[in-house]
Amino acid sequence: MANKPRSRYELAHRVQESTVYPVKAPNGSTIVLYGHETGVGILWRGGRALKKCVPQPKQPAKPPKPNGTSNDTIMIIDSDDDEPAKAAAQPPPKAEFEHEEEELDPDQPYASLVQHLSLSLRTQVRHIAVPQIPPASALRPGDTTPPIFSKSIVFAVACADSTVRIITLPLTPPPHAAKDRPLSAASQFGEEIVKIQGHQSVPRGITMTWTARDEPSLANEPEDDMDVDADEDAGATPNNRRRKQSSRPRSQPPGDDGFDLLVASHSAELGGLLRLFRFELSETAVKVSHPLTPYKIISLRKPASRVTFNTAQYPKRRHSQLLITDSMGTARIYDPFAAPSRKRRMSGGSNDPGAFVATFRSSFEGVKNLVLTPPVLASRKAIIDAAWASDGRHIIALLADGEWGVWDVDRSGPSPPPDPSTFSLRGYVGTSEKENNSNSASSPKRGSRNSLAPMTPNTRRRKEEALFQGSTSTSAVVTRGGISVASLLSGSGAPSEDSVIIWYGSEIYRIADLAKFWARTASATGAGSLPGPGLQIQDVALCGEAITSVSQFDTTTQASRMAVARDTLISLEHRLIITASTSQPLGRDLNAMFTREQVEEETANRTDQALLTHGELDLGGMDRMLESMEGSGTSAAASRNLTMGGPRKVLFASSAA
């Protein structure tokens, strides 16, 4: 396992949440966004640094005139202008960068901060959302992605004043001179802000994605026996719908009419409310038409704990699906573009698109007394966080008691369960062994090494309580936690490689490759729980502060093949921690370095052989050749060649005796 040195950035504000923007700046910098008490912070890390501004030399003072006056004032006798001329608007200062990127020390691979801005919104930013932006490749040309993403940072925030704001900012870091004076009274650094007054209470989360302007396109109607709104059916999955509903016909290239931005936010008002907004995307801005009205308003049964768009990209059909989880252990998938079923239309329901297409449920909590507790009082474990994986075909969920699992949405995993609404892969995080999890019939048994531990009064009392009273539930106190999934897309169409980080309380766990971990677990005879093979526990000094969020930086295919872990962004209450891997120096190609060293070694060997042939090889050259033969196992013929030296014999002092 590679060492993970860490760099800390102390901040003056309390950090609510942070994330890594999916697109790099033109100078090669990685962009980090974080929400704080008065607005949003933007960091440009690494890449080509800004050129240092050279102060302009001061102009020498004009010498006084011979007549003793230095007044150069020109008096205007007459003027036809009734109003004074307005000063021309000053263009924004242009940033200039160095020609080469910073070379990092392999022992301390800490990229420098190119620029750090604090965008004031005069309110606390609780949550940040960024769109999924795929890199251009042979399978996905650049014209199939909104062009605004190549020029601007586009993100959304949920604020403490119950507003949602969509912010666009230039992708290039501004020069240091732009921080001294704002660009204008309405814009500090060239940003544009769309303010949405949509909620009556503080939003509990926000998510965003993009789609084509012609969505939802014409689709075949569902069959009579399929009810896409039957969210009570826990076995309903999008795979069932695809068997009966063909793909959408397309008569024109994807995105030919332009692209739109989808933003969804949720709050606890009215028992749970989800608002979905839709805005037109131009090449340079987010277009807004007043009055601002939601594209859809969905009433929820319970306040949502997590809402997130599918990570699949347009034109894949599932790109607009929303994952909605709650504290009652239910996860549902809502498709705003799903065609209404014929059953709903015949019953007088709405003909507008949009329906719940799948439902999943967590396992039940352990009860204190299995005999005296009625089955109707059994409750499911609360869902702390959930995230899409495998290009939107699987869902990873973290429960309140530390259990985690994977729902196989389209049943494409290696071990689909008989009940599609249950976990296909499951485990536990957390250092403490919970008695209720090991004794619960609905939870997998943990592999424990303490079965033969010596009996003490404390352990005897706990075992007697578990034996006669049943295990107590500990899910009442929900521990903070979250899931971060970073996917490495293949340019050849192969399945994506998902790096998963699960943080629970003050502990951080990593799964380097979810597909390989899942395949190993399915093929093993006994299913083990975390930590297990393929999972790494990250040892990070938190300085006594609580984790607010965890994100992952981008990586390369070569680094993934060499099993180099992704750099990680960990936001604490008043600081940001970035862990970097030292197994491969950043910005350097190990294969190229190895090849260069091998070529240099072969060149030196040929030179030494030529000097030996001519009888001009010194003692240093002979030492190098002996070391080379010892390392490569050279034959005795080469050793004789070294001793004889071709036509001329080289004698050692020991041979003359």
Side-chain angles (χ1 to χ4, degrees), residues 407-434:
W407 283 307
D408 194 349
V409 177
D410 61 353
R411 302 182 67 79
S412 60
S415 57
D419 185 1
S421 66
T422 59
F423 285 147
S424 299
L425 174 68
R426 64 198 309 179
Y428 282 91
V429 292
T431 55
S432 60
E433 293 286 339
K434 300 180 179 62

PDB file of all heavy atoms in Angstrom, residues 407-434:
ATOM      1  N   TRP A 407     -27.294  -2.362  -4.175  1.00  0.00           N
ATOM      2  CA  TRP A 407     -28.515  -2.792  -4.851  1.00  0.00           C
ATOM      3  C   TRP A 407     -28.221  -2.946  -6.336  1.00  0.00           C
ATOM      4  O   TRP A 407     -27.732  -2.012  -6.989  1.00  0.00           O
ATOM      5  CB  TRP A 407     -29.636  -1.771  -4.653  1.00  0.00           C
ATOM      6  CG  TRP A 407     -30.265  -1.837  -3.298  1.00  0.00           C
ATOM      7  CD1 TRP A 407     -30.782  -2.931  -2.679  1.00  0.00           C
ATOM      8  CD2 TRP A 407     -30.458  -0.745  -2.387  1.00  0.00           C
ATOM      9  NE1 TRP A 407     -31.283  -2.602  -1.445  1.00  0.00           N
ATOM     10  CE2 TRP A 407     -31.098  -1.263  -1.234  1.00  0.00           C
ATOM     11  CE3 TRP A 407     -30.158   0.610  -2.425  1.00  0.00           C
ATOM     12  CZ2 TRP A 407     -31.435  -0.473  -0.149  1.00  0.00           C
ATOM     13  CZ3 TRP A 407     -30.492   1.403  -1.345  1.00  0.00           C
ATOM     14  CH2 TRP A 407     -31.130   0.857  -0.223  1.00  0.00           C
ATOM     15  N   ASP A 408     -28.525  -4.116  -6.863  1.00  0.00           N
ATOM     16  CA  ASP A 408     -28.307  -4.416  -8.278  1.00  0.00           C
ATOM     17  C   ASP A 408     -29.545  -3.966  -9.048  1.00  0.00           C
ATOM     18  O   ASP A 408     -30.525  -4.700  -9.173  1.00  0.00           O
ATOM     19  CB  ASP A 408     -28.054  -5.913  -8.455  1.00  0.00           C
ATOM     20  CG  ASP A 408     -27.482  -6.248  -9.818  1.00  0.00           C
ATOM     21  OD1 ASP A 408     -27.472  -5.355 -10.685  1.00  0.00           O
ATOM     22  OD2 ASP A 408     -27.052  -7.391 -10.022  1.00  0.00           O
ATOM     23  N   VAL A 409     -29.512  -2.752  -9.578  1.00  0.00           N
ATOM     24  CA  VAL A 409     -30.705  -2.152 -10.178  1.00  0.00           C
ATOM     25  C   VAL A 409     -31.162  -2.937 -11.399  1.00  0.00           C
ATOM     26  O   VAL A 409     -32.336  -3.299 -11.526  1.00  0.00           O
ATOM     27  CB  VAL A 409     -30.435  -0.678 -10.536  1.00  0.00           C
ATOM     28  CG1 VAL A 409     -31.648  -0.063 -11.220  1.00  0.00           C
ATOM     29  CG2 VAL A 409     -30.078   0.116  -9.283  1.00  0.00           C
ATOM     30  N   ASP A 410     -30.255  -3.222 -12.324  1.00  0.00           N
ATOM     31  CA  ASP A 410     -30.641  -3.944 -13.540  1.00  0.00           C
ATOM     32  C   ASP A 410     -30.236  -5.412 -13.501  1.00  0.00           C
ATOM     33  O   ASP A 410     -30.260  -6.082 -14.535  1.00  0.00           O
ATOM     34  CB  ASP A 410     -30.028  -3.271 -14.771  1.00  0.00           C
ATOM     35  CG  ASP A 410     -28.509  -3.264 -14.730  1.00  0.00           C
ATOM     36  OD1 ASP A 410     -27.935  -3.652 -13.684  1.00  0.00           O
ATOM     37  OD2 ASP A 410     -27.886  -2.868 -15.730  1.00  0.00           O
ATOM     38  N   ARG A 411     -29.837  -5.908 -12.304  1.00  0.00           N
ATOM     39  CA  ARG A 411     -29.494  -7.317 -12.098  1.00  0.00           C
ATOM     40  C   ARG A 411     -28.393  -7.762 -13.055  1.00  0.00           C
ATOM     41  O   ARG A 411     -28.446  -8.847 -13.648  1.00  0.00           O
ATOM     42  CB  ARG A 411     -30.730  -8.202 -12.241  1.00  0.00           C
ATOM     43  CG  ARG A 411     -31.841  -7.838 -11.269  1.00  0.00           C
ATOM     44  CD  ARG A 411     -33.040  -8.757 -11.379  1.00  0.00           C
ATOM     45  NE  ARG A 411     -32.729 -10.117 -10.952  1.00  0.00           N
ATOM     46  CZ  ARG A 411     -32.662 -10.519  -9.688  1.00  0.00           C
ATOM     47  NH1 ARG A 411     -32.871  -9.636  -8.706  1.00  0.00           N
ATOM     48  NH2 ARG A 411     -32.389 -11.765  -9.389  1.00  0.00           N
ATOM     49  N   SER A 412     -27.373  -6.917 -13.200  1.00  0.00           N
ATOM     50  CA  SER A 412     -26.232  -7.247 -14.049  1.00  0.00           C
ATOM     51  C   SER A 412     -25.001  -7.627 -13.242  1.00  0.00           C
ATOM     52  O   SER A 412     -23.943  -7.865 -13.816  1.00  0.00           O
ATOM     53  CB  SER A 412     -25.890  -6.045 -14.940  1.00  0.00           C
ATOM     54  OG  SER A 412     -25.548  -4.909 -14.151  1.00  0.00           O
ATOM     55  N   GLY A 413     -25.116  -7.675 -11.905  1.00  0.00           N
ATOM     56  CA  GLY A 413     -23.983  -8.011 -11.065  1.00  0.00           C
ATOM     57  C   GLY A 413     -23.687  -9.493 -11.047  1.00  0.00           C
ATOM     58  O   GLY A 413     -24.436 -10.317 -11.593  1.00  0.00           O
ATOM     59  N   PRO A 414     -22.590  -9.884 -10.400  1.00  0.00           N
ATOM     60  CA  PRO A 414     -22.196 -11.302 -10.395  1.00  0.00           C
ATOM     61  C   PRO A 414     -23.069 -12.184  -9.516  1.00  0.00           C
ATOM     62  O   PRO A 414     -23.064 -13.397  -9.686  1.00  0.00           O
ATOM     63  CB  PRO A 414     -20.758 -11.257  -9.864  1.00  0.00           C
ATOM     64  CG  PRO A 414     -20.680  -9.996  -9.072  1.00  0.00           C
ATOM     65  CD  PRO A 414     -21.593  -9.023  -9.736  1.00  0.00           C
ATOM     66  N   SER A 415     -23.814 -11.621  -8.567  1.00  0.00           N
ATOM     67  CA  SER A 415     -24.613 -12.455  -7.654  1.00  0.00           C
ATOM     68  C   SER A 415     -25.959 -11.803  -7.388  1.00  0.00           C
ATOM     69  O   SER A 415     -26.206 -11.296  -6.293  1.00  0.00           O
ATOM     70  CB  SER A 415     -23.862 -12.663  -6.339  1.00  0.00           C
ATOM     71  OG  SER A 415     -23.552 -11.405  -5.751  1.00  0.00           O
ATOM     72  N   PRO A 416     -26.860 -11.759  -8.377  1.00  0.00           N
ATOM     73  CA  PRO A 416     -28.177 -11.142  -8.139  1.00  0.00           C
ATOM     74  C   PRO A 416     -28.985 -11.965  -7.150  1.00  0.00           C
ATOM     75  O   PRO A 416     -29.087 -13.189  -7.281  1.00  0.00           O
ATOM     76  CB  PRO A 416     -28.813 -11.135  -9.533  1.00  0.00           C
ATOM     77  CG  PRO A 416     -28.102 -12.200 -10.290  1.00  0.00           C
ATOM     78  CD  PRO A 416     -26.714 -12.244  -9.753  1.00  0.00           C
ATOM     79  N   PRO A 417     -29.581 -11.337  -6.124  1.00  0.00           N
ATOM     80  CA  PRO A 417     -30.349 -12.085  -5.122  1.00  0.00           C
ATOM     81  C   PRO A 417     -31.726 -12.451  -5.656  1.00  0.00           C
ATOM     82  O   PRO A 417     -32.205 -11.872  -6.637  1.00  0.00           O
ATOM     83  CB  PRO A 417     -30.440 -11.095  -3.959  1.00  0.00           C
ATOM     84  CG  PRO A 417     -30.422  -9.754  -4.627  1.00  0.00           C
ATOM     85  CD  PRO A 417     -29.537  -9.897  -5.833  1.00  0.00           C
ATOM     86  N   PRO A 418     -32.393 -13.411  -5.011  1.00  0.00           N
ATOM     87  CA  PRO A 418     -33.762 -13.746  -5.443  1.00  0.00           C
ATOM     88  C   PRO A 418     -34.713 -12.563  -5.328  1.00  0.00           C
ATOM     89  O   PRO A 418     -35.566 -12.364  -6.186  1.00  0.00           O
ATOM     90  CB  PRO A 418     -34.152 -14.888  -4.496  1.00  0.00           C
ATOM     91  CG  PRO A 418     -32.859 -15.461  -4.020  1.00  0.00           C
ATOM     92  CD  PRO A 418     -31.909 -14.312  -3.957  1.00  0.00           C
ATOM     93  N   ASP A 419     -34.570 -11.775  -4.264  1.00  0.00           N
ATOM     94  CA  ASP A 419     -35.387 -10.580  -4.090  1.00  0.00           C
ATOM     95  C   ASP A 419     -34.602  -9.382  -4.598  1.00  0.00           C
ATOM     96  O   ASP A 419     -33.589  -8.994  -4.004  1.00  0.00           O
ATOM     97  CB  ASP A 419     -35.738 -10.394  -2.617  1.00  0.00           C
ATOM     98  CG  ASP A 419     -36.685  -9.221  -2.394  1.00  0.00           C
ATOM     99  OD1 ASP A 419     -37.078  -8.577  -3.392  1.00  0.00           O
ATOM    100  OD2 ASP A 419     -37.028  -8.950  -1.227  1.00  0.00           O
ATOM    101  N   PRO A 420     -35.000  -8.767  -5.711  1.00  0.00           N
ATOM    102  CA  PRO A 420     -34.202  -7.670  -6.272  1.00  0.00           C
ATOM    103  C   PRO A 420     -34.172  -6.424  -5.412  1.00  0.00           C
ATOM    104  O   PRO A 420     -33.355  -5.530  -5.657  1.00  0.00           O
ATOM    105  CB  PRO A 420     -34.889  -7.393  -7.615  1.00  0.00           C
ATOM    106  CG  PRO A 420     -36.285  -7.881  -7.443  1.00  0.00           C
ATOM    107  CD  PRO A 420     -36.197  -9.049  -6.513  1.00  0.00           C
ATOM    108  N   SER A 421     -35.039  -6.321  -4.392  1.00  0.00           N
ATOM    109  CA  SER A 421     -35.056  -5.124  -3.556  1.00  0.00           C
ATOM    110  C   SER A 421     -34.061  -5.191  -2.411  1.00  0.00           C
ATOM    111  O   SER A 421     -33.918  -4.225  -1.665  1.00  0.00           O
ATOM    112  CB  SER A 421     -36.460  -4.903  -2.989  1.00  0.00           C
ATOM    113  OG  SER A 421     -36.800  -5.946  -2.090  1.00  0.00           O
ATOM    114  N   THR A 422     -33.368  -6.323  -2.229  1.00  0.00           N
ATOM    115  CA  THR A 422     -32.400  -6.477  -1.146  1.00  0.00           C
ATOM    116  C   THR A 422     -30.985  -6.316  -1.677  1.00  0.00           C
ATOM    117  O   THR A 422     -30.744  -6.297  -2.884  1.00  0.00           O
ATOM    118  CB  THR A 422     -32.553  -7.851  -0.483  1.00  0.00           C
ATOM    119  OG1 THR A 422     -32.344  -8.870  -1.479  1.00  0.00           O
ATOM    120  CG2 THR A 422     -33.944  -8.012   0.103  1.00  0.00           C
ATOM    121  N   PHE A 423     -30.026  -6.232  -0.748  1.00  0.00           N
ATOM    122  CA  PHE A 423     -28.630  -6.050  -1.117  1.00  0.00           C
ATOM    123  C   PHE A 423     -28.098  -7.293  -1.828  1.00  0.00           C
ATOM    124  O   PHE A 423     -28.320  -8.423  -1.390  1.00  0.00           O
ATOM    125  CB  PHE A 423     -27.776  -5.775   0.119  1.00  0.00           C
ATOM    126  CG  PHE A 423     -27.940  -4.388   0.677  1.00  0.00           C
ATOM    127  CD1 PHE A 423     -27.837  -4.153   2.043  1.00  0.00           C
ATOM    128  CD2 PHE A 423     -28.187  -3.315  -0.158  1.00  0.00           C
ATOM    129  CE1 PHE A 423     -27.975  -2.878   2.562  1.00  0.00           C
ATOM    130  CE2 PHE A 423     -28.335  -2.038   0.343  1.00  0.00           C
ATOM    131  CZ  PHE A 423     -28.230  -1.815   1.707  1.00  0.00           C
ATOM    132  N   SER A 424     -27.345  -7.058  -2.906  1.00  0.00           N
ATOM    133  CA  SER A 424     -26.612  -8.139  -3.556  1.00  0.00           C
ATOM    134  C   SER A 424     -25.232  -8.319  -2.945  1.00  0.00           C
ATOM    135  O   SER A 424     -24.672  -9.412  -2.960  1.00  0.00           O
ATOM    136  CB  SER A 424     -26.474  -7.848  -5.056  1.00  0.00           C
ATOM    137  OG  SER A 424     -27.730  -7.767  -5.682  1.00  0.00           O
ATOM    138  N   LEU A 425     -24.663  -7.255  -2.434  1.00  0.00           N
ATOM    139  CA  LEU A 425     -23.365  -7.270  -1.756  1.00  0.00           C
ATOM    140  C   LEU A 425     -23.510  -6.429  -0.505  1.00  0.00           C
ATOM    141  O   LEU A 425     -24.098  -5.350  -0.543  1.00  0.00           O
ATOM    142  CB  LEU A 425     -22.277  -6.695  -2.672  1.00  0.00           C
ATOM    143  CG  LEU A 425     -20.881  -6.508  -2.070  1.00  0.00           C
ATOM    144  CD1 LEU A 425     -20.248  -7.852  -1.765  1.00  0.00           C
ATOM    145  CD2 LEU A 425     -19.997  -5.709  -3.024  1.00  0.00           C
ATOM    146  N   ARG A 426     -22.983  -6.930   0.619  1.00  0.00           N
ATOM    147  CA  ARG A 426     -23.155  -6.209   1.868  1.00  0.00           C
ATOM    148  C   ARG A 426     -21.956  -6.414   2.764  1.00  0.00           C
ATOM    149  O   ARG A 426     -21.177  -7.350   2.608  1.00  0.00           O
ATOM    150  CB  ARG A 426     -24.436  -6.653   2.572  1.00  0.00           C
ATOM    151  CG  ARG A 426     -24.412  -8.109   2.989  1.00  0.00           C
ATOM    152  CD  ARG A 426     -25.793  -8.646   3.281  1.00  0.00           C
ATOM    153  NE  ARG A 426     -26.557  -7.815   4.194  1.00  0.00           N
ATOM    154  CZ  ARG A 426     -27.796  -8.100   4.565  1.00  0.00           C
ATOM    155  NH1 ARG A 426     -28.388  -9.179   4.089  1.00  0.00           N
ATOM    156  NH2 ARG A 426     -28.442  -7.318   5.405  1.00  0.00           N
ATOM    157  N   GLY A 427     -21.808  -5.512   3.723  1.00  0.00           N
ATOM    158  CA  GLY A 427     -20.724  -5.592   4.687  1.00  0.00           C
ATOM    159  C   GLY A 427     -20.945  -4.565   5.777  1.00  0.00           C
ATOM    160  O   GLY A 427     -22.029  -3.973   5.889  1.00  0.00           O
ATOM    161  N   TYR A 428     -19.916  -4.348   6.608  1.00  0.00           N
ATOM    162  CA  TYR A 428     -20.006  -3.415   7.724  1.00  0.00           C
ATOM    163  C   TYR A 428     -18.760  -2.552   7.774  1.00  0.00           C
ATOM    164  O   TYR A 428     -17.670  -2.984   7.388  1.00  0.00           O
ATOM    165  CB  TYR A 428     -20.163  -4.153   9.060  1.00  0.00           C
ATOM    166  CG  TYR A 428     -21.552  -4.659   9.323  1.00  0.00           C
ATOM    167  CD1 TYR A 428     -21.919  -5.941   8.929  1.00  0.00           C
ATOM    168  CD2 TYR A 428     -22.499  -3.867   9.949  1.00  0.00           C
ATOM    169  CE1 TYR A 428     -23.194  -6.411   9.160  1.00  0.00           C
ATOM    170  CE2 TYR A 428     -23.772  -4.335  10.190  1.00  0.00           C
ATOM    171  CZ  TYR A 428     -24.116  -5.607   9.789  1.00  0.00           C
ATOM    172  OH  TYR A 428     -25.382  -6.071  10.012  1.00  0.00           O
ATOM    173  N   VAL A 429     -18.929  -1.347   8.252  1.00  0.00           N
ATOM    174  CA  VAL A 429     -17.819  -0.456   8.562  1.00  0.00           C
ATOM    175  C   VAL A 429     -17.942  -0.058  10.018  1.00  0.00           C
ATOM    176  O   VAL A 429     -19.010  -0.141  10.617  1.00  0.00           O
ATOM    177  CB  VAL A 429     -17.818   0.798   7.662  1.00  0.00           C
ATOM    178  CG1 VAL A 429     -17.506   0.444   6.235  1.00  0.00           C
ATOM    179  CG2 VAL A 429     -19.135   1.538   7.758  1.00  0.00           C
ATOM    180  N   GLY A 430     -16.843   0.378  10.602  1.00  0.00           N
ATOM    181  CA  GLY A 430     -16.831   0.721  12.019  1.00  0.00           C
ATOM    182  C   GLY A 430     -15.951  -0.242  12.776  1.00  0.00           C
ATOM    183  O   GLY A 430     -15.911  -1.442  12.487  1.00  0.00           O
ATOM    184  N   THR A 431     -15.222   0.259  13.775  1.00  0.00           N
ATOM    185  CA  THR A 431     -14.284  -0.575  14.517  1.00  0.00           C
ATOM    186  C   THR A 431     -14.952  -1.374  15.612  1.00  0.00           C
ATOM    187  O   THR A 431     -14.471  -2.426  15.996  1.00  0.00           O
ATOM    188  CB  THR A 431     -13.203   0.314  15.154  1.00  0.00           C
ATOM    189  OG1 THR A 431     -13.835   1.318  15.963  1.00  0.00           O
ATOM    190  CG2 THR A 431     -12.385   1.003  14.076  1.00  0.00           C
ATOM    191  N   SER A 432     -16.069  -0.893  16.164  1.00  0.00           N
ATOM    192  CA  SER A 432     -16.714  -1.586  17.282  1.00  0.00           C
ATOM    193  C   SER A 432     -17.624  -2.682  16.769  1.00  0.00           C
ATOM    194  O   SER A 432     -18.393  -2.488  15.838  1.00  0.00           O
ATOM    195  CB  SER A 432     -17.521  -0.592  18.121  1.00  0.00           C
ATOM    196  OG  SER A 432     -18.515   0.011  17.326  1.00  0.00           O
ATOM    197  N   GLU A 433     -17.524  -3.857  17.369  1.00  0.00           N
ATOM    198  CA  GLU A 433     -18.398  -4.977  17.021  1.00  0.00           C
ATOM    199  C   GLU A 433     -19.724  -4.807  17.748  1.00  0.00           C
ATOM    200  O   GLU A 433     -19.778  -4.782  18.979  1.00  0.00           O
ATOM    201  CB  GLU A 433     -17.742  -6.302  17.438  1.00  0.00           C
ATOM    202  CG  GLU A 433     -16.503  -6.641  16.652  1.00  0.00           C
ATOM    203  CD  GLU A 433     -16.842  -7.088  15.252  1.00  0.00           C
ATOM    204  OE1 GLU A 433     -17.995  -7.506  15.046  1.00  0.00           O
ATOM    205  OE2 GLU A 433     -15.980  -7.016  14.386  1.00  0.00           O
ATOM    206  N   LYS A 434     -20.798  -4.679  16.985  1.00  0.00           N
ATOM    207  CA  LYS A 434     -22.112  -4.464  17.582  1.00  0.00           C
ATOM    208  C   LYS A 434     -22.805  -5.806  17.768  1.00  0.00           C
ATOM    209  O   LYS A 434     -22.938  -6.583  16.838  1.00  0.00           O
ATOM    210  CB  LYS A 434     -22.949  -3.541  16.691  1.00  0.00           C
ATOM    211  CG  LYS A 434     -22.297  -2.182  16.488  1.00  0.00           C
ATOM    212  CD  LYS A 434     -23.168  -1.332  15.602  1.00  0.00           C
ATOM    213  CE  LYS A 434     -22.560   0.043  15.408  1.00  0.00           C
ATOM    214  NZ  LYS A 434     -21.271   0.016  14.758  1.00  0.00           N
TER     215      LYS A 434
END
